[in-house]
Amino acid sequence: MGPVLVVNAGSTNLKLHVVDEEEHAVAVSSFAEAPADLAAVAHRVVHGGARFREPVLIDAEVRTRISELVALAPLHNAPALKAIEAAEQALVHVPHLAVFDTAFHHTISDEAAVYAVPARWREEWGIRRYGFQGLSVAWTAERVPQIVGEPVRRLVVCHLGGGSSVTAVVEGRSVDTTMGFTPLEGVPMTTRAGSVDPGALLYVLRSGALDSAALEHELNFDSGLRGLAGGSGEMLELEGRVEGGDEAAKLALDVYVHRLAAAVAAMAAAAGGIDALAFTAGIGEHSPLVRERVCMRLAFLGVVLDKARNRDAGADAVVSTPESAVRVVVVRAREELVAARAARALLSDRRA
């Protein structure tokens, strides 16, 4: 089977990778750079709802189902649909597949997934915790035991990027996660609010200052670190402002770290303990300051960070001390490899 082009339409950018059979991935800048012997195009789609628990070949019905979920993940499913359309026009003679972030979290039990809302909400509208960023968490759960050199039963994964989530993984299976019905729930993110008292949202709507569309926009684009500190909300900018004595930036970082540490503790409880803590994605991989500050708050769990290792860490590195009861690991995000594997497996099954 030839190489797979992986299309990752994230909340902040579009990434294209060509992944060969040896799982070497090369970034390309356009569909025109795809190799002539391309076997398939795998599209990362964030929200698959209750229906899509496995990768699927994309057809008109699948596109319709994905579009129906745009309201639940407007920063993700809408760009994914545009990328699917562009890719199908540019690469007509290869199969296109959708690989869903929510699929990894279908192992979450009802006690973790069900909201305490009226039965009608759950039964008619499918309101429950779906979880997101599953491709990244799946890769991290595979890599951590390889990096530490031993099995890891109870793992907490912090995927920290434009969107951020914390997930409890037990023996390779998701058991709880901070994102919920939509990618808005959970810890604060670059421009997304994370969890907010629903009473506060009702109060804003009742005030008449915002309608539902404006509220949705502000929660997705004007909240999170941007809402707390202004500016872009990007962590690199925020850390520079903190160093310069900016009080708003300091508050934003304090809130982010506080909520992250609390989420890790909650996920450790969901997992029945914690053997390893992983940081991945843009902030997780590239912010020693965030890792250090989060780990300092988790000392009561037995987390002991090696400050020198943490400061100098590259991809796929252990940054805890040998005495730490919890292994702390930095993992390079490789969602494209998980998506490419899923595409190959689906095509192989269809040919068998």
Side-chain angles (χ1 to χ4, degrees):
M1 191 180 297
V4 175
L5 176 65
V6 177
V7 180
N8 187 344
S11 61
T12 56
N13 52 34
L14 175 67
K15 298 177 183 177
L16 304 175
H17 287 91
V18 176
V19 182
D20 65 21
E21 292 184 83
E22 286 72 41
E23 296 195 332
H24 300 127
V26 177
V28 296
S29 58
S30 71
F31 298 124
E33 296 181 34
D37 62 340
L38 196 67
V41 181
H43 296 264
R44 175 202 175 211
V45 180
V46 164
H47 210 316
R51 173 169 179 168
F52 296 114
R53 295 172 177 245
E54 301 288 343
V56 294
L57 284 169
I58 296 172
D59 57 19
E61 182 186 1
V62 169
R63 284 192 294 273
T64 297
R65 297 301 183 191
I66 293 172
S67 68
E68 290 172 350
L69 294 165
V70 165
L72 305 188
L75 297 187
H76 304 87
N77 277 33
L81 282 169
K82 291 180 180 178
I84 288 169
E85 180 181 2
E88 288 181 329
Q89 291 176 354
L91 302 165
V92 177
H93 302 297
V94 295
H96 291 251
L97 307 94
V99 182
F100 298 92
D101 257 336
T102 44
F104 181 75
H105 298 293
H106 279 296
T107 54
I108 292 175
S109 66
D110 285 347
E111 67 181 26
V114 172
Y115 292 110
V117 295
R120 179 186 174 195
W121 294 27
R122 293 180 270 118
E123 295 165 3
E124 295 185 19
W125 301 327
I127 293 179
R128 59 168 288 136
R129 181 177 307 282
Y130 288 107
F132 301 91
Q133 300 178 328
L135 299 183
S136 174
V137 178
W139 173 254
T140 302
E142 177 182 332
R143 282 294 292 146
V144 167
Q146 297 170 353
I147 294 167
V148 303
E150 61 186 19
V152 174
R153 181 174 178 271
R154 302 167 302 181
L155 170 67
V156 175
V157 177
C158 296
H159 175 109
L160 310 179
S164 296
S165 66
V166 184
T167 301
V169 180
V170 176
E171 296 180 346
R173 295 163 60 90
S174 175
V175 298
D176 201 357
T177 190
T178 55
M179 284 182 171
F181 181 62
T182 75
L184 259 176
E185 189 180 5
V187 298
M189 308 171 217
T190 300
T191 66
R192 276 174 267 169
S195 295
V196 179
D197 179 357
L201 307 183
L202 292 172
Y203 176 82
V204 170
L205 287 174
R206 284 197 301 267
S207 75
L210 298 176
D211 60 17
S212 60
L215 178 63
E216 179 181 43
H217 179 89
E218 293 200 1
L219 289 171
N220 275 296
F221 295 100
D222 298 326
S223 298
L225 298 177
R226 174 183 287 173
L228 287 166
S232 68
E234 295 292 335
M235 184 56 66
L236 184 62
E237 173 192 308
L238 199 69
E239 290 182 6
R241 289 171 57 189
V242 170
E243 290 181 5
D246 186 310
E247 289 299 321
K250 179 180 180 301
L251 174 62
L253 185 59
D254 289 347
V255 169
Y256 187 65
V257 168
H258 176 85
R259 300 287 174 80
L260 276 176
V264 172
M267 291 300 113
I274 178 172
D275 302 310
L277 171 64
F279 292 90
T280 190
I283 298 171
E285 294 174 44
H286 302 297
S287 178
L289 177 62
V290 168
R291 295 194 300 263
E292 179 179 351
R293 290 193 55 183
V294 169
C295 288
M296 285 175 61
R297 288 173 174 260
L298 298 172
F300 73 98
L301 291 176
V303 176
V304 184
L305 196 70
D306 185 311
K307 291 187 177 181
R309 287 183 180 180
N310 181 56
R311 182 187 62 240
D312 300 331
D316 298 343
V318 177
V319 295
S320 51
T321 68
E323 297 77 25
S324 179
V326 178
R327 309 298 292 274
V328 183
V329 187
V330 179
V331 179
R332 179 187 176 193
R334 299 300 303 273
E335 294 164 313
E336 70 277 5
L337 298 190
V338 179
R341 285 179 185 174
R344 293 184 195 281
L346 177 58
L347 293 177
S348 296
D349 289 345
R350 289 178 63 87
R351 293 172 181 172

